[in-house]
Amino acid sequence: MLTDATLQARHLLECGPAEQLTWSEIATALRPFFGPLPEVQPTEAAVLPAIGDPETLLTLTPDGNRLRLTFIGPPAGVGECLRLRADLRELSQLRHVMARTPTPIWQTDSTRQVVWGNASFDDLCARAELPDRSTQPLDILPDDSEDIHVSRASAGKPGDGSQSWYEVQSYRVPEGRLHFAQNIDAVIHAEAAQRNFLQTLTRIFAHLPIALAVFDKDLRLVLFNPALLDLTTLPAEFLSGRPNLLSFFDMLREKQMMPEPKNYRSWRDKLSEVIAAASSDLYVETWSLPSGLTYKITGRPHPDGGVAFLFEDISAEISLTRRFRQEIEVTQAVLDCLDDAVAVFSQLGVLSFCNDPYRQLWDNDPDSSIAEIGIAEATRDWQARCRPSPIWAELRDFTLTLGDRAGWDAELQTLDGQRLLCRAEPLSGGATLIRFSPCLCPAKIPAEV
């Protein structure tokens, strides 16, 4: 045990006035200056020169059961002492910084053994359950020819949730390598979430009935789904070869999966305009193919200057639209063939249909108006062309009633003396049919209000 020491000796050993050290602790403190010392307190006299300074000597003098250590060296000049004091202040500051740095930092020698580490490195060793901090807690093997090596490594056990990932930057230094580790758990989790998201998107794209073709900034195909094979009948080998956009459309033309332009050469020249429109989210076209199918082609901008095209088979929708339009045209033609003036109002009281006799009777064409015509506007127009009658409010209430209704009729007389029979009948879906027929039989006209 240390029994006595001068003030300078305690500065060298970094111990307080009342602190007692063992020989092992003293040897550890002196080893950086004088090299390896015996593990057991020596019993023979010896003189050891300092590493790199042969004029500074450590004299070991046994004295019975005691051992005296004496340090002898040349006196330091004033400038050297002042410089040393400044360096000590800076060293103290650097030690405080290293002790509070949240990033693990350590240094290894040429044999890859740890010779120094900060407090965060000690914490990392503790989390890795390393009994000796001379072993690196992260598995990194920088190549000897590399001045800077960047790698990723994990510490802890994956199963118990203590695993953490680090990005380690290793720099070559004269004494070995200096390593800086930065925790990248957030990055690892984000990358895992991105992979899961891409896998989810891939599964969705695989079952998506809309064909998808994504081209990168060089206009080469980088992504497509199985629906593209089904809708375009393009070979999988061709699509897997990452064709450019021009070759892609050439193959579509060859397979007759696009309308034949009048001048294909000029259409190819205008392909740049198509790409520009798709990049601006403005490209939408409908292709009627020779096979009778109808495709809707939509261009969408893709990140990094790419472009994506969506191919949707709308043949059933187009067929249904055409059939629906044909039914509307037939219904309109039937209404126009009637002698009675007919108007159909929706459940909300909006005029849906009317025939030519209605337009002639009331001298009004609803199709020429941009705004919707409701039952209130229609009855106001009818009332202005007829003699006073109490049925207008009843017509409005009947048209806007949502419950069960029963048809009814009433007589009207226009200002020019024509008598009309007004018939209100409920239709399915809450609609209402109002019909005006010429009244040929004498009848009573409702009293004026």
Side-chain angles (χ1 to χ4, degrees):
M1 301 296 297
L2 177 65
T3 58
D4 189 19
T6 64
L7 181 60
Q8 294 298 324
R10 291 191 178 275
H11 284 327
L12 178 63
L13 298 176
E14 292 185 337
C15 66
E19 187 176 358
Q20 292 184 339
L21 302 178
T22 63
W23 165 254
S24 177
E25 294 171 332
I26 293 174
T28 300
L30 297 179
R31 192 171 292 119
F33 307 103
F34 297 95
L37 295 176
E39 296 294 336
V40 181
Q41 181 173 322
T43 57
E44 296 181 359
V47 178
L48 303 176
I51 300 175
D53 186 8
E55 296 183 7
T56 300
L57 303 176
L58 168 60
T59 303
L60 305 176
T61 307
D63 183 12
N65 61 349
R66 296 189 176 188
L67 177 67
R68 180 183 296 275
L69 284 71
T70 306
F71 303 92
I72 302 174
V78 177
E80 185 177 355
C81 290
L82 293 177
R83 183 71 266 171
L84 180 60
R85 292 176 184 175
D87 291 343
L88 288 176
R89 287 194 297 268
E90 183 179 358
L91 176 62
S92 177
Q93 182 179 6
L94 290 177
R95 284 180 175 176
H96 285 300
V97 171
M98 287 293 102
R100 290 162 176 78
T101 299
T103 301
I105 304 174
W106 70 99
Q107 184 176 343
T108 56
D109 57 16
S110 58
T111 62
R112 302 179 188 256
Q113 294 296 313
V114 178
V115 296
W116 174 85
N118 64 348
S120 296
F121 175 76
D122 294 337
D123 295 339
L124 181 59
C125 292
R127 288 198 299 269
E129 299 181 356
L130 294 177
D132 185 6
R133 60 171 286 177
S134 63
T135 304
Q136 297 189 69
L138 301 177
D139 186 15
I140 54 173
L141 295 174
D143 192 88
D144 293 337
S145 60
E146 295 179 306
D147 292 334
I148 301 176
H149 179 78
V150 180
S151 60
R152 287 184 176 183
S154 62
K157 299 178 181 179
D160 59 3
S162 63
Q163 186 184 31
S164 296
W165 282 89
Y166 294 87
E167 181 179 87
V168 183
Q169 299 183 15
S170 304
Y171 295 87
R172 184 193 300 276
V173 294
E175 298 81 8
R177 284 189 177 271
L178 192 59
H179 309 276
F180 299 84
Q182 182 176 5
N183 187 279
I184 56 171
D185 285 342
V187 176
I188 295 297
H189 295 158
E191 291 177 350
Q194 183 183 27
R195 285 193 299 270
N196 295 335
F197 180 69
L198 290 177
Q199 292 175 359
T200 302
L201 284 183
T202 301
R203 289 193 292 267
I204 293 175
F205 289 158
H207 298 88
L208 193 67
I210 300 177
L212 176 66
V214 179
F215 296 83
D216 60 12
K217 62 180 180 179
D218 298 324
L219 300 182
R220 287 198 169 274
L221 183 65
V222 293
L223 177 65
F224 64 92
N225 62 343
L228 187 66
L229 299 172
D230 299 334
L231 294 185
T232 63
T233 68
L234 295 179
E237 297 79 6
F238 171 75
L239 297 177
S240 301
R242 300 187 60 193
N244 58 34
L245 190 59
L246 190 59
S247 301
F248 178 79
F249 279 103
D250 285 340
M251 184 61 72
L252 286 179
R253 176 174 175 265
E254 181 179 339
K255 292 287 185 178
Q256 294 185 343
M257 297 308 298
M258 64 176 293
E260 183 66 29
K262 296 181 180 179
N263 188 337
Y264 186 72
R265 183 175 299 276
S266 63
W267 189 89
R268 289 185 59 178
D269 295 338
K270 293 182 179 179
L271 192 58
S272 58
E273 300 178 5
V274 174
I275 299 172
S279 301
S280 303
D281 203 5
L282 299 175
Y283 180 75
V284 178
E285 279 192 0
T286 301
W287 288 358
S288 298
L289 306 182
S291 60
L293 298 175
T294 304
Y295 286 176
K296 178 182 178 182
I297 315 300
T298 307
R300 291 289 183 265
H302 193 262
D304 299 328
V307 62
F309 286 94
L310 289 82
F311 298 79
E312 183 179 1
D313 186 358
I314 59 172
S315 303
E317 179 183 346
I318 293 298
S319 177
L320 180 63
T321 302
R322 290 172 180 171
R323 186 165 58 251
F324 182 65
R325 186 183 297 114
Q326 184 179 7
E327 291 178 358
I328 293 178
E329 292 175 353
V330 171
T331 302
Q332 187 66 50
V334 171
L335 291 177
D336 291 340
C337 291
L338 298 177
D339 294 333
D340 296 344
V342 176
V344 178
F345 292 86
S346 68
Q347 182 181 8
L348 300 178
V350 178
L351 181 63
S352 302
F353 297 102
C354 66
N355 59 355
D356 284 340
Y358 175 90
R359 297 183 181 91
Q360 296 173 5
L361 174 64
W362 302 113
D363 191 20
N364 184 12
D365 185 7
D367 295 337
S368 62
S369 175
I370 299 178
E372 294 180 339
I373 297 178
I375 185 62
E377 292 83 3
T379 52
R380 188 162 51 247
D381 187 34
W382 302 339
Q383 185 177 2
R385 296 174 179 272
C386 294
R387 293 184 179 180
S389 173
I391 71 167
W392 307 118
E394 297 180 14
L395 270 179
R396 288 190 289 269
D397 295 340
F398 181 81
T399 302
L400 298 176
T401 299
L402 301 179
D404 295 335
R405 301 174 296 172
W408 57 275
D409 54 32
E411 290 188 16
L412 298 172
Q413 186 172 8
T414 62
L415 295 178
D416 57 4
Q418 181 182 4
R419 294 204 308 272
L420 300 174
L421 179 64
C422 176
R423 176 71 180 176
E425 299 180 2
L427 299 178
S428 61
T432 303
L433 183 144
I434 299 178
R435 182 174 58 188
F436 300 92
S437 306
C439 186
L440 302 179
C441 299
K444 294 182 179 181
I445 302 299
E448 297 183 0
V449 293

